[in-house]
Amino acid sequence: MNLDMSLLVTGSIAIDTVKTPYGVSENCIGGSAVYFSMAASFFSPIRLVGAVGSDCPFDFAKVFAGRSVDLTGLEVRKNSKTFRWVGTYGENMDSRTTDYIELNVLEEEPPAVPAEFKDSKFVFLANTAPNLQLKLLGQIDNPVFVAADTMDFWIEGQPEDLKRLLKKINCLIINEDEARLLAKEHNLIKAAEKILDIGSRQYCRAVIIKKGGSGSLMCDGNGNQFILPAYPAAEVKDPTGAGDSFAGGFMGYLARNNKTDFASLKKAVAYGTVVAASTIADFSLNGLTSIDKTNIDERFETLRKCTSF
Amino acid sequence: MNLDMSLLVTGSIAIDTVKTPYGVSENCIGGSAVYFSMAASFFSPIRLVGAVGSDCPFDFAKVFAGRSVDLTGLEVRKNSKTFRWVGTYGENMDSRTTDYIELNVLEEEPPAVPAEFKDSKFVFLANTAPNLQLKLLGQIDNPVFVAADTMDFWIEGQPEDLKRLLKKINCLIINEDEARLLAKEHNLIKAAEKILDIGSRQYCRAVIIKKGGSGSLMCDGNGNQFILPAYPAAEVKDPTGAGDSFAGGFMGYLARNNKTDFASLKKAVAYGTVVAASTIADFSLNGLTSIDKTNIDERFETLRKCTSF
């Protein structure tokens, strides 16, 4: 089997203003579902589920022109406003402060999964409240591989909902600080093992811990481990969207090949790493719209060459 | 050619007292030349050049029993005292404070390189004042591959001597903070490139930047790059000697195979990584004395499996 499998993402669509030492990008398109879709669409058709308000200035047909992104699940709510985020990155891009945030549509009922998306086999639940992630997942009939993101706010604020979620998904993709918080363990390999235990190992097949400029780490329930450095990108102009682009490359590769064995998960992590590096090389989506699949495959080979011995 | 080549190390021999969350190791054997020799002796015969005082409690013939470590260059100075260091590691082993230090014999004239060591082909100059490293190197007739370590104290205090040293060596092995300080550049790949330029690229063939728990990075003068994560060691009991053990595994492998092409340097970095992980799994030299070459080769294969895709 090598047929593209249906890949659904639920997540935010944002109007971002981002300040980095390289400049300011004002009112540009952002949000987890947008970065994910753009990244995953190099590999597989995407089904996007998300909501914006009537103030949303983006023409999504243009944004995703030439890519197979099905916008049936995109709700434009007339009496709502779009999620807005204003953030500033520090000198070395390793710290970020949120200057301003308006949740807006993200505080309302989550979007419904359209009937024609209910047969989706691969699902990514971008970061939001775990009870909402569970509600969204409950609308999918029979998924094959479900991955989710979360954050410190939910780990501390909704631990029981998060535990219920972990028992329903196959893969958690999480930052190192969040992994330590969730597992109450500093050592990341041990933290991954503890998180696999929370999820009960038969369902949660893998935990991926993202370490920013230090790469990522993946452990599965069978004791397999994979450690990959970050792509040797000399340029980082805007780290926004790196995590969701990573998830997009990862899930896009899996859906494309319809395989979830550990060897495939490893290659998927490498593709996620390459796509994330492309995202952060420029502001907003520019890093992803200025490359094609050939560039990604070349960078995949470069990463392999740089890390093999 | 696959003959063992002569490998010489000059560095410190210490009486260490180390406190970590796992316990206290009092008045144990340490020092850069000791960790290096123990690590490198898995691969190649070693010629050790160093000095201790009459107070030195260690029987080096016993310490290195069963290993090919030539102690002709070990000076025992009757009217001197041995270098002593007392240090404490923080809760997560990522911070270290020096509680007490006595330089003693390290403040005196450096040891002489014995006549029978002057034909050494591979040389490691452990961390000390760069003018002393130059003096020691000047006593070797015609080395093939010279690597050196340095630290913030010399980067800030003797920058001109350090530049002279960089023009005489083939490989600098340095921590990430030191690399940033030396290159005045935060991005580590760019920092490595700048350090290669200081050294003039025809002589300085490679720069290796150690990132602790995040692995290491190597760049050479031809634009080759290698990035390797740390060994997935669940246990870290005492990080002392990790850097010198890394250098020992690295140089030992190169000397063993008498090759310095980039493919060999990559494998040498991987062996250095494996040996360093073995060092930090226990106090003092215990992590190195409790394993054999078979264990190291198995861990080398584990590292390859964990990082390949």
Side-chain angles (χ1 to χ4, degrees):
Chain A
M1 289 226 297
N2 203 20
L3 299 166
D4 286 351
M5 293 298 284
S6 45
L7 171 54
L8 180 142
V9 56
T10 73
S12 66
I13 296 160
I15 304 173
D16 281 348
T17 292
V18 180
K19 300 168 199 166
T20 89
Y22 291 86
V24 178
S25 176
E26 230 164 331
N27 297 322
C28 61
I29 190 167
S32 56
V34 171
Y35 278 106
F36 181 96
S37 297
M38 193 59 87
S41 67
F42 286 108
F43 303 90
S44 162
I46 308 301
R47 296 166 167 185
L48 189 156
V49 174
V52 295
S54 55
D55 60 337
C56 186
F58 310 122
D59 178 345
F60 290 96
K62 270 196 187 164
V63 167
F64 293 115
R67 294 161 195 262
S68 180
V69 178
D70 187 333
L71 298 170
T72 308
L74 176 66
E75 292 180 20
V76 183
R77 298 183 180 172
K78 288 197 176 165
N79 298 314
S80 304
K81 288 177 73 185
T82 307
F83 170 50
R84 283 176 187 266
W85 179 73
V86 179
T88 302
Y89 288 87
E91 197 186 344
N92 297 318
M93 306 287 194
D94 37 20
S95 67
R96 174 169 96 171
T97 54
T98 292
D99 303 321
Y100 178 77
I101 195 161
E102 269 184 34
L103 289 174
N104 293 331
V105 74
L106 295 190
E107 287 186 297
E108 304 168 11
E109 269 298 292
V113 174
E116 55 266 55
F117 285 2
K118 288 185 186 295
D119 65 350
S120 296
K121 295 304 174 201
F122 287 78
V123 176
F124 181 67
L125 306 167
N127 175 36
T128 187
N131 64 328
L132 295 188
Q133 289 172 308
L134 280 163
K135 267 192 198 175
L136 287 157
L137 182 57
Q139 299 175 61
I140 316 289
D141 291 335
N142 194 20
V144 168
F145 190 86
V146 181
D149 185 12
T150 192
M151 69 185 292
D152 48 3
F153 189 72
W154 312 120
I155 294 168
E156 296 183 305
Q158 300 194 4
E160 292 310 315
D161 286 344
L162 184 57
K163 278 183 193 171
R164 284 200 299 133
L165 177 72
L166 288 179
K167 292 184 199 302
K168 295 281 188 187
I169 63 175
N170 304 95
C171 181
L172 183 68
I173 304 177
I174 194 172
N175 289 332
E176 58 182 325
D177 292 344
E178 295 159 355
R180 287 180 173 129
L181 187 66
L182 175 55
K184 298 185 178 69
E185 165 65 49
H186 186 81
N187 180 296
L188 291 177
I189 298 228
K190 288 186 188 173
E193 296 287 329
K194 283 196 176 184
I195 294 167
L196 285 166
D197 283 335
I198 297 171
S200 77
R201 290 176 185 244
Q202 64 270 39
Y203 290 104
C204 197
R205 290 187 197 154
V207 169
I208 300 173
I209 299 177
K210 296 171 292 179
K211 302 188 286 173
S214 296
S216 59
L217 163 69
M218 174 169 64
C219 295
D220 79 354
N222 300 316
N224 290 307
Q225 299 174 339
F226 180 52
I227 319 166
L228 189 69
Y231 190 82
E235 295 299 338
V236 182
K237 281 195 178 166
D238 173 12
T240 310
D244 296 303
S245 301
F246 175 92
F250 174 78
M251 291 294 284
Y253 177 81
L254 293 179
R256 170 75 188 86
N257 295 287
N258 191 24
K259 283 183 182 174
T260 59
D261 59 295
F262 200 71
S264 298
L265 292 177
K266 284 164 83 165
K267 286 195 177 66
V269 166
Y271 271 113
T273 298
V274 162
V275 176
S278 305
T279 294
I280 65 179
D282 207 342
F283 283 95
S284 188
L285 295 174
N286 299 337
L288 291 179
T289 53
S290 60
I291 58 168
D292 59 20
K293 182 62 162 52
T294 307
N295 300 130
I296 289 175
D297 286 332
E298 285 165 2
R299 291 174 194 183
F300 180 88
E301 287 308 324
T302 298
L303 184 61
R304 202 198 303 257
K305 196 180 159 205
C306 277
T307 57
S308 63
F309 59 88
Chain B
M1 288 229 295
N2 202 21
L3 298 168
D4 287 350
M5 293 299 284
S6 46
L7 171 54
L8 180 142
V9 56
T10 73
S12 65
I13 296 160
I15 304 173
D16 281 347
T17 293
V18 180
K19 300 169 199 165
T20 90
Y22 291 86
V24 178
S25 176
E26 229 163 334
N27 297 323
C28 61
I29 189 165
S32 56
V34 171
Y35 277 107
F36 180 97
S37 297
M38 194 58 88
S41 67
F42 286 109
F43 303 91
S44 163
I46 309 298
R47 295 167 167 185
L48 189 156
V49 174
V52 295
S54 54
D55 60 337
C56 187
F58 310 121
D59 178 344
F60 290 96
K62 270 196 188 165
V63 167
F64 294 115
R67 294 161 195 263
S68 180
V69 178
D70 187 332
L71 298 170
T72 309
L74 175 66
E75 292 180 20
V76 183
R77 296 184 182 172
K78 287 198 178 165
N79 298 314
S80 304
K81 288 177 71 186
T82 306
F83 170 50
R84 283 177 186 263
W85 179 74
V86 180
T88 303
Y89 289 87
E91 197 187 345
N92 297 318
M93 307 286 195
D94 36 20
S95 67
R96 175 168 94 173
T97 54
T98 291
D99 303 321
Y100 178 76
I101 195 162
E102 269 184 33
L103 289 174
N104 293 333
V105 74
L106 295 189
E107 287 186 300
E108 304 169 8
E109 270 298 293
V113 174
E116 55 266 57
F117 285 3
K118 289 185 186 297
D119 64 351
S120 298
K121 294 305 173 199
F122 288 76
V123 176
F124 181 67
L125 306 166
N127 175 36
T128 187
N131 64 327
L132 295 189
Q133 289 171 309
L134 281 162
K135 265 192 199 175
L136 285 157
L137 182 56
Q139 299 175 62
I140 316 289
D141 290 335
N142 194 19
V144 168
F145 190 86
V146 181
D149 185 14
T150 191
M151 69 185 293
D152 49 3
F153 189 74
W154 312 119
I155 294 168
E156 295 183 307
Q158 299 194 5
E160 291 311 314
D161 286 344
L162 184 56
K163 277 183 195 171
R164 284 200 298 132
L165 176 72
L166 288 178
K167 292 185 200 302
K168 296 280 187 187
I169 64 174
N170 304 95
C171 182
L172 183 69
I173 304 177
I174 192 171
N175 289 333
E176 59 182 323
D177 292 344
E178 295 159 355
R180 288 183 173 126
L181 186 68
L182 175 56
K184 298 184 178 70
E185 165 64 49
H186 186 80
N187 180 296
L188 292 177
I189 298 230
K190 288 185 187 174
E193 296 288 328
K194 282 196 176 182
I195 294 167
L196 284 166
D197 283 336
I198 297 171
S200 77
R201 289 175 185 247
Q202 64 270 37
Y203 291 104
C204 196
R205 289 186 197 156
V207 169
I208 299 173
I209 299 177
K210 296 171 290 178
K211 302 189 286 174
S214 296
S216 60
L217 163 69
M218 174 170 63
C219 296
D220 79 354
N222 300 316
N224 291 308
Q225 298 173 341
F226 180 51
I227 319 166
L228 189 68
Y231 189 82
E235 295 300 337
V236 182
K237 281 195 179 166
D238 173 11
T240 310
D244 296 302
S245 300
F246 175 94
F250 174 78
M251 292 294 284
Y253 176 81
L254 293 178
R256 170 75 189 84
N257 293 288
N258 192 23
K259 283 182 180 174
T260 59
D261 59 295
F262 199 70
S264 298
L265 293 177
K266 285 164 81 165
K267 286 195 178 65
V269 166
Y271 271 112
T273 298
V274 162
V275 177
S278 305
T279 294
I280 66 179
D282 207 341
F283 283 94
S284 188
L285 295 175
N286 300 337
L288 292 179
T289 52
S290 60
I291 58 168
D292 60 20
K293 182 62 162 54
T294 306
N295 300 130
I296 290 175
D297 286 332
E298 284 166 1
R299 291 173 192 183
F300 180 87
E301 287 308 323
T302 298
L303 184 61
R304 203 199 301 256
K305 195 181 159 206
C306 276
T307 57
S308 63
F309 59 88

